[in-house]
Amino acid sequence: MYTLGVDIGSTTSKCVIMNDGSDIVATSLEIGGMGTSGPEDSVREVLDSAGLNRDDIARTIATGYGRMKYEDADGEVSELTCHALGASHIFQGLRTVIDIGGQDAKIISLSSDGRMTNFVMNDKCAAGTGRFLDVMANILRIDVNDMGKLAEQAGQPASISSTCTVFAESEVISQLANGVKLPELVAGICDSVASRVSALARRAGVREKVCMSGGVAHNDAVRKALEKKLEVSIETSPLSQHFGAAGAAIYAYRQELRNK
Ligand code: ADP
């Protein structure tokens, strides 16, 4: 039985098709979240890539920031539940998910059987989210995808003292003008995100095994800085950005079984 999870975020739309709630058949990712053609494009792409059409899908569940506005799903489920489900499907014995997306960061605590028991969230401030990285990449005229690699070339990360994104932007511009090298600046920016997220994580309590989900999981400099600050090792997967959509596809499968 094929099920589809559609994760409509603030910046991207992700889809996962699963077979019997277990095997990942196809994934897709489109830039553009709620209010754009991202969700529809992402659904079309995942169906094409699986060689399926809409009638082959037994159930579709939407999740993410834009889930309420998406009308082509059979139901919607919170991204907290979906990230917990998707991440624990990939990592056995997972107890903490650090999800850093395009506009918020969440720390999700799981029980030993993979159910969400608690969460803390920052959705009030861009610092400590992918938005902070996007703003900084834009002023440095670099691709956000290259930030992790650039940071690896740094000696001592530059110190970014402003906790507000707007002030940090001016701080980065003046450090650049004062001759601070790009890798050091990028490493400082990644470190700043990790500082904000680690403070959030300490509030929730961090138990191993820990993994990252969301787009920022692709940034190895943020992951390593988080590992250092929290003194734990943190897993990632090429599918980290798809954990929400995978969780939605698993949820759809379980719901379909219950309805039979
Ligand atoms: P949302 O669900 O809110 O749309 P995502 O979980 O898709 O967010 O993450 C989007 C964020 O991830 C972007 O703001 C961007 O900063 C970051 N991101 C995406 N891909 C990469 C990458 N390859 N390297 C580093 N950061 C990335």
Side-chain angles (χ1 to χ4, degrees):
M1 182 206 300
Y2 296 116
T3 55
L4 169 63
V6 185
D7 179 3
I8 305 165
S10 59
T11 57
T12 65
S13 299
K14 288 82 57 180
C15 287
V16 170
I17 293 178
M18 278 196 159
N19 189 10
D20 290 343
S22 136
D23 298 328
I24 293 176
V25 176
T27 67
S28 66
L29 186 153
E30 285 288 329
I31 304 295
M34 191 174 83
T36 73
S37 63
E40 284 72 28
D41 294 346
S42 183
V43 169
R44 199 175 318 112
E45 191 189 323
V46 81
L47 287 169
D48 284 354
S49 137
L52 298 171
N53 58 52
R54 207 69 208 231
D55 297 340
D56 298 317
I57 305 293
R59 194 169 193 83
T60 300
I61 290 290
T63 188
Y65 180 66
R67 66 184 189 275
M68 304 290 195
K69 294 254 159 68
Y70 185 69
E71 289 174 354
D72 289 336
D74 300 302
E76 50 83 20
V77 177
S78 98
E79 60 263 43
L80 293 161
T81 301
C82 290
H83 277 273
L85 261 179
S88 52
H89 181 71
I90 303 290
F91 297 114
Q92 304 302 310
L94 194 66
R95 302 301 295 270
T96 309
V97 181
I98 300 177
D99 172 39
I100 316 179
Q103 71 164 18
D104 62 20
K106 311 175 194 78
I107 314 298
I108 308 166
S109 309
L110 307 179
S111 60
S112 55
D113 59 358
R115 279 175 304 109
M116 182 180 73
T117 54
N118 187 26
F119 75 93
V120 293
M121 181 168 178
N122 161 31
D123 59 354
K124 300 277 180 285
C125 167
T129 74
R131 177 83 188 126
F132 186 83
L133 296 174
D134 295 337
V135 167
M136 296 304 167
N138 195 32
I139 59 168
L140 294 172
R141 295 177 175 275
I142 57 172
D143 192 322
V144 75
N145 301 327
D146 297 333
M147 287 182 114
K149 285 241 153 53
L150 269 167
E152 265 174 29
Q153 300 161 22
Q156 185 66 19
S159 162
I160 314 282
S161 56
S162 308
T163 47
C164 162
T165 307
V166 178
F167 291 147
E169 200 175 346
S170 320
E171 198 180 339
V172 166
I173 291 168
S174 74
Q175 291 207 35
L176 199 61
N178 288 333
V180 178
K181 297 253 173 353
L182 187 62
E184 275 72 17
L185 265 178
V186 173
I189 290 162
C190 293
D191 207 65
S192 160
V193 171
S195 291
R196 299 294 297 238
V197 176
S198 61
L200 197 66
R202 281 192 206 99
R203 263 174 53 202
V206 176
R207 290 177 114 180
E208 293 191 82
K209 188 185 268 178
V210 186
C211 86
M212 280 181 79
S213 72
V216 178
H218 294 301
N219 182 321
D220 229 30
V222 173
R223 181 183 64 81
K224 284 182 186 157
L226 273 171
E227 283 187 325
K228 213 161 151 191
K229 289 175 199 297
L230 294 171
E231 298 178 331
V232 292
S233 93
I234 302 177
E235 312 276 342
T236 56
S237 148
L239 280 173
S240 283
Q241 201 168 359
H242 285 87
F243 283 167
I250 296 169
Y251 196 95
Y253 174 72
R254 292 183 183 172
Q255 225 175 30
E256 193 62 18
L257 279 190
R258 276 201 302 273
N259 291 348
K260 275 198 166 171

